[in-house]
Amino acid sequence: MVNHLLSRESKGPTGLILAVVALMVVFSFLNPRFASVENLQNVLFQSSVPLIIVVGATLVILMGSIDLSVQGVMGAAGMAWILITPNTRTGLDYGVWAWVIALGTGVALGLFAGLIYERLKVPSFVATLGTWYVGLGIGIMLYGNGLLPSLTNEALARWPTRLTLGIPNSFWLAGAVVVVGLVIMNYTRFGRGLLAIGNNEAIARSSGISVSRYKIMALAIAGGLSALAGILATMQLGSGSSDIGSTQLFTVIPAAVIGGTALSGGEGGVLRSSLGVFLLVILNNGLVLAGVDPDYQQGVFGLILILAIVTVAWPHRNRLKVAK
Amino acid sequence: MKTKSLLLAGIAASTLSGAALAAPVAKEDMVLVVSVINTTNPYMISNIEGGKALSEELGIPLEIVNSNGSSQTEIAGIMSILASGKTPIMFVNTVASSDAPTIVDAVKQAGGYVTIWWNKPADYKPQDVGDNFVAFQKIPGLSSGACGAKAIAESIGGKGNVVLLPGVPDSTTSKTRVAGFRAEIEANWPDIKILDERPSNWDPQLGARNAQDLIVKYGDQINGVWSADDGMQIGAMQSFENAGLLDKVKFASDGLYPKTLEDIQSGRGNNAIVGETFHRGYMASAVGLYTAYLAATGEIVPSELSDDKRESLFQLSCVTPGNYQQYLQYDEPGAPAAFVDRLVQNGPWATDPMPLVGGGRADASEW
């Protein structure tokens, strides 16, 4: 099954796995604490939010579109969730309905973007960019000028870090999302349909795939997952903010591309994008542990990243989609 | 027509070696302008509150410019207000130091009056530009860092290890706060060691992530954590709490956000927060706008003011768990209006809790 999945993920991500392992070995030499159980748990914890987002982003990218609304949806859903979960500002507790409403907000924003994209034939870049700001606007409106809302329920605030079988709960959640994403991509008509659309929309259409419905569904799922990520990030921070998603977009899209998911669509997959997330998180974490001077950290980060990607992509350089 | 002739008079006056003065501007021709970096940060929201309070007090309409983090958006927004024909009385919280000259030049052309807060190039001085650039004002970052350093050092008995979470690395505000922290430790606390420093871009989540990495790296060697603002401290405290270390580590930062105040009051984490600083965005914008307003009405003549009133440093209060109560009044509903009342009575340089404490030195923007 694993082999099958790897081969399905376009040429197999072996090079990428090797790059991640090589980084881990180097960082372990630079600081033995890097390989400690504590730090591996830390890396898994930090990967959780971007992993959840990258699954949705990959579905959208595979069909040759893009979802830029991530941070806005996270802000709207995160604020919606915390304001109706025991918190220091409102005193409301909707229990499980808080999740339904927050996730529903994300799905609705995704549908909104999808309908504009598909029905009004606006490029996904523009439709989701607009949705980003609509989401951020909702987040800011909910945030208002009042007190920063913080979780008052200790159990909820601690849930993401608490360990189950040695692994942080937040990673179990992210892992489950990745597995579901893999299954959808590889074993459902919907998943294959998205790939077909990314490869050649005209052929996909003529072979009877309901392109329009698939596109809207993919954006709605991505919206739902961004919302889930927004809730998890809010729980991790213990406080709500309309900026809860800040900088995530520029972790997730590069992670997908680094993993080998082509922005032109039709190539790559959830597993590869997830490895891209690990590569970025480990690189950041390792540089801090290795004690790289903060003034140089960004520069060193970029150089190592380019080196890793060139090495991984070298055997496939003739087939890279980005030629210019 | 009247505005236009005033405008021409303004330009003519400023070309006459700055000694001759523009005629005072009538109230009904003025518009107050508050230009902020974004509208999500609590400090910026507070900047806007100050503008609203002064607008009500003086009966002059208010316009807000939201720069959305971009110098281009900021300058475009300001230009469109300048084109409206009214005389702008402005408070600008600049996105980047380098924006100040462009904005000031445009305001000068339009015959308006502007006070710049927080960021400007060090060698760009109101005294050299003329009366339209009324003043540059800020709260000294050096004092902020020093407050935090002293509070942490005292709370851990003058001995131990600390880590720092600065803001955006190239921001003057962050740089000066870090410099203040380091200077205080170097001068007075020989047994305190700074283990590491990780810029966290004023972002609570990045603060949390960097704190996690530092916990893994140094474990229980860390005795104190200083953050350049409360947002990052909120993130860092969550990480230490998750790691079960909150009870053993002391925290200090800048801003006294409501969440921070709550944590001080509740004694969260064995009284983890030991030092804070107090200043409010509404005070900065009200003082900045009111200074510019006085210049527009002719009640003050900027070129006749002493240097410390052109490049001004206002008092920053060090807050501790022992004295925080005296600052609660400034966050109550109606506090901006009350502050503005006192501001109009006492003038921009003598209103508690933010009186003028210095300035005018060559390097005021580096403080």
Side-chain angles (χ1 to χ4, degrees), chain A residues 33 39 42 45-46 88 140 145 147-148 150 158 161 233 236-237 243-244 246 285 288-289 291-292 294 297, chain B residues 40 42 45 49 197-199 203-205 209 212-213 216-219 221 234-235 238 241-242 258-259 262:
Chain A
R33 286 216 195 198
N39 191 47
N42 175 27
F45 180 80
Q46 293 190 18
T88 49
I140 291 172
N145 308 342
L147 289 172
L148 186 76
S150 303
R158 292 294 178 85
T161 29
Q236 286 184 345
L237 190 63
D243 285 334
I244 197 80
S246 104
N285 164 267
V288 174
L289 262 70
V292 174
Q297 189 178 334
Chain B
T40 49
I45 294 173
E49 293 298 313
E197 178 181 324
R198 289 290 146 187
D203 176 357
Q205 297 215 84
R209 283 206 292 277
Q212 278 167 347
D213 291 344
V216 169
K217 191 171 176 185
Y218 299 105
Q221 288 176 52
I234 288 168
Q238 190 63 38
E241 185 162 59
N242 292 340
K259 162 79 178 153
E262 243 169 65

Side-chain angles (χ1 to χ4, degrees), chain A residues 53-280:
Chain A
I53 307 167
V54 92
V55 172
T58 304
L59 296 188
V60 177
I61 293 173
L62 281 176
M63 60 179 192
S65 312
I66 192 129
D67 180 8
L68 302 181
S69 68
V70 171
Q71 299 183 187
V73 176
M74 286 180 75
M79 279 307 297
W81 180 78
I82 197 168
L83 290 179
I84 47 179
T85 300
N87 71 87
T88 49
R89 196 201 282 183
T90 60
L92 297 175
D93 181 7
Y94 284 26
V96 73
W97 286 105
W99 290 80
V100 174
I101 292 171
L103 291 174
T105 306
V107 172
L109 284 167
L111 273 176
F112 173 73
L115 287 170
I116 293 177
Y117 170 39
E118 203 28 52
R119 297 280 187 254
L120 303 181
K121 302 295 174 202
V122 172
S124 60
F125 188 99
V126 180
T128 57
L129 186 69
T131 310
W132 174 356
Y133 288 104
V134 172
L136 190 62
I138 296 174
I140 291 172
M141 225 165 60
L142 292 173
Y143 187 90
N145 308 342
L147 289 172
L148 186 76
S150 303
L151 285 175
T152 50
N153 182 330
E154 274 290 300
L156 267 180
R158 292 294 178 85
W159 185 85
T161 29
R162 196 156 286 146
L163 303 175
T164 304
L165 302 177
I167 288 176
N169 286 337
S170 52
F171 187 75
W172 282 110
L173 179 63
V177 170
V178 170
V179 169
V180 171
L182 275 173
V183 170
I184 289 180
M185 276 320 295
N186 292 287
Y187 297 101
T188 65
R189 212 180 122 74
F190 175 63
R192 285 191 293 267
L194 291 183
L195 268 178
I197 294 171
N199 273 316
N200 190 324
E201 198 173 319
I203 294 178
R205 204 180 293 275
S206 65
S207 65
I209 291 173
S210 165
V211 172
S212 171
R213 204 157 50 91
Y214 276 34
K215 284 184 169 176
I216 296 172
M217 260 174 77
L219 279 165
I221 293 174
L225 289 176
S226 293
L228 181 62
I231 297 173
L232 183 61
T234 305
M235 278 166 97
Q236 286 184 345
L237 190 63
S239 302
S241 153
S242 48
D243 285 334
I244 197 80
S246 104
T247 72
Q248 290 294 351
L249 185 66
F250 294 103
T251 305
V252 165
I253 305 249
V257 173
I258 286 160
T261 300
L263 284 178
S264 50
E267 190 175 328
V270 169
L271 193 61
R272 299 188 66 111
S273 300
S274 305
L275 286 167
V277 167
F278 280 119
L279 188 78
L280 292 180

Side-chain angles (χ1 to χ4, degrees), chain B residues 82-137:
Chain B
L82 295 184
S84 72
K86 289 222 167 189
T87 301
I89 312 294
M90 309 186 73
F91 158 89
V92 183
N93 189 344
T94 40
V95 175
S97 306
S98 50
D99 303 343
T102 314
I103 294 169
V104 168
D105 281 351
V107 175
K108 191 173 171 180
Q109 291 292 322
Y113 295 86
V114 59
T115 304
I116 301 274
W117 259 82
W118 292 113
N119 288 307
K120 75 164 177 67
D123 53 359
Y124 184 71
K125 297 180 168 300
Q127 297 93 317
D128 300 338
V129 176
D131 286 347
N132 300 85
F133 184 5
V134 180
F136 170 72
Q137 301 174 331

